[in-house]
Amino acid sequence: MSYAVPPTRTAAVVRQLRNEIVTGELPPGTLIKDAELASRLGVSITPVREAIAQLSVEGLIDIAPNRTRHVTRVTQKNALELIDVMSVLACAGFEWGVDNLTETHVDLLRQRQNEFVEALRAGNVLAAGAAGADFSTIVILASGNRELQSMVDLVVARTMRILAMTAESGLWDIWIKGHDAIIDLLEAGDTQGALARYRQIYVDYRYRVERELFDDQ
């Protein structure tokens, strides 16, 4: 997940809407109207429609048979299914890439982890999410499997919505502690221990999400 300037108006609209959905500025169930969005964002209808189509593919916007569009609602069932899918993909990438990591890779992991923690301290959930996603991306790309990374990217934004959308959420602690432990294990040369610790993050995360975010269901 990058913060580089988008190359097209459609990409810019996709980024803006994705950020608004992920942070909860556009809550689940919000009706999406092309003309209103185009006016607010200062663009024509075309990039707005193209952006909505892209976000529909990502699962962030639902398009009904009558063509009305709403921000996707998050239920316990689809939240846990997303975590399971993300776990399978990301853990496979981590397993395939962990033995290819160099000292440079580990230094980058430490850098992303520091950015992750600092962003949370600053209350910037979007920057924290990007740094956290990049942590896994470094290892996945070390596997050389870019197709897998593309699949992971498709579910990252959807998975981020499951987090309580504040920097103070205790759910972030699972990732902070997990990343720190992984870096320590990698620096000690224990790649299999690092892999096991990475897998444990998803186990702990799923457990906490199920019990804390959906305890009313």
Side-chain angles (χ1 to χ4, degrees), residues 100-112 138 142:
N100 297 329
L101 296 179
T102 64
E103 289 185 10
T104 299
H105 286 118
V106 177
D107 287 342
L108 284 173
L109 290 174
R110 178 70 72 182
Q111 180 180 333
R112 293 297 179 272
I138 290 166

Side-chain angles (χ1 to χ4, degrees), residues 4-66:
V5 177
T8 66
R9 288 185 179 181
T10 296
V13 174
V14 167
R15 173 178 294 177
Q16 180 64 30
L17 291 180
R18 184 190 291 122
N19 288 350
E20 291 180 6
I21 291 170
V22 167
T23 60
E25 187 175 342
L26 288 177
T30 299
L31 180 65
I32 302 296
K33 297 182 179 180
D34 298 358
E36 289 182 3
L37 279 176
S39 176
R40 176 165 68 86
L41 300 178
V43 297
S44 66
I45 289 288
T46 298
V48 168
R49 288 176 175 169
E50 291 174 346
I52 289 172
Q54 172 62 36
L55 293 173
S56 175
V57 171
E58 294 182 14
L60 296 179
I61 292 177
D62 282 335
I63 301 178
N66 63 2

Side-chain angles (χ1 to χ4, degrees), residues 2 13 22 43 68 79 81 115 125 132 134 169 171 176 181 200 207:
S2 171
V13 174
V22 167
V43 297
T68 59
E81 286 176 348
E115 293 170 358
V125 173
D134 283 347
S169 170
L171 287 170
I176 293 172
Q200 188 62 42
Y207 179 88

